[in-house]
Amino acid sequence: MKFLLDVLLLLPLLIVCSLESFVKLFIPKRRKSVTGEIVLITGAGHGIGRLTAYEFAKLKSKLVLWDINKHGLEETAAKCKGLGAKVHTFVVDCSNREDIYSAAKKTTKAFLPAMMKNNHGHIVTVASAAGHVSVPFLLAYCSSKFAAVGFHKTLTDELAALQITGVKTTCLCPNFVNTGFIKNPSTSLGPTLEPEEVVNRLMHGILTEQKMIFIPSSIAFLTTLERILPERFLAVLKRKISVKFDAVIGYKMKAQ
């Protein structure tokens, strides 16, 4: 009972915060400068990682690029240098802890502890819409993306609890992206996203310090519905969304 009373007392604050959020929708947020900032990008030898490196290079950031693919990494670095950025590359297997620690000692020595000490930095987690809504036959993928979203949310809350306001966090959650990882994906939420579109939205989100980036934005609405709608109705709604793909293992999804 005491908890319910405490919640009721918070209603005026809820109204104020809701109005504040509504007003902010119509006020363009100022983009921060990342000129001269050290930007570490993993998976920089291909796809979204490579395109993100190009965008930061245009903004004159100092780039530290990691990838397991040496050839792809060198191609990315060459283009970034051509755009006027200072670039350091390291061949790193991000599934190997020793590789990560070895490369870290050669670059920034420490990541989060150093950011916290200086109260300055920005950590971007690349997750997926599949980190919020489960998809049949993508069990391992969804599990890893739910973990990524959980990492982002917990890290954000820990920084807030420690009153470290200078270290920002952002989590990217796109729908299917045309990277070749999943064959022939489709959904009624919209067409398969191109990497360039995702990176443009990601850069805007980083520079305006958005905490969660959903692409398309309708996914944010769906994640809210999943928490409040009856389970039976959700099952019907998911069939209407009609997620289809040719699984990597060769299993052909049945039409829904």
Side-chain angles (χ1 to χ4, degrees), residues 54-176:
Y54 293 165
E55 293 303 314
F56 275 109
K58 294 173 186 176
L59 298 173
K60 309 305 178 188
S61 299
K62 297 176 182 177
L63 300 179
V64 180
L65 307 180
W66 287 8
D67 201 283
I68 196 172
N69 182 344
K70 182 179 180 181
H71 179 69
L73 192 60
E74 289 174 347
E75 287 184 344
T76 303
K79 177 71 176 289
C80 290
K81 289 176 181 176
L83 292 169
K86 294 182 179 180
V87 183
H88 301 276
T89 61
F90 297 90
V91 177
V92 180
D93 180 359
C94 287
S95 67
N96 186 314
R97 180 179 296 182
E98 294 304 317
D99 256 19
I100 294 172
Y101 287 163
S102 176
K105 288 177 182 177
K106 296 174 184 176
T107 54
T108 56
K109 295 185 179 179
F111 299 119
L112 184 57
M115 290 182 184
M116 293 171 65
K117 182 178 179 180
N118 297 321
N119 195 26
H120 183 74
H122 198 139
I123 297 174
V124 180
T125 303
V126 177
S128 167
H132 295 269
V133 181
S134 59
V135 180
F137 308 106
L138 287 179
L139 178 61
Y141 181 77
C142 289
S143 298
S144 68
K145 296 307 178 182
F146 266 86
V149 171
F151 165 80
H152 161 76
K153 290 183 175 181
T154 305
L155 176 61
T156 301
D157 286 348
E158 284 191 10
L159 291 171
L162 293 169
Q163 298 184 345
I164 297 173
T165 57
V167 179
K168 309 300 181 181
T169 59
T170 294
C171 186
L172 175 66
C173 298
N175 194 11
F176 288 123

Side-chain angles (χ1 to χ4, degrees), residues 2-15:
K2 183 178 183 301
F3 175 74
L4 291 176
L5 290 174
D6 289 340
V7 171
L8 288 174
L9 291 174
L10 289 174
L11 283 178
L13 179 61
L14 172 61
I15 294 171

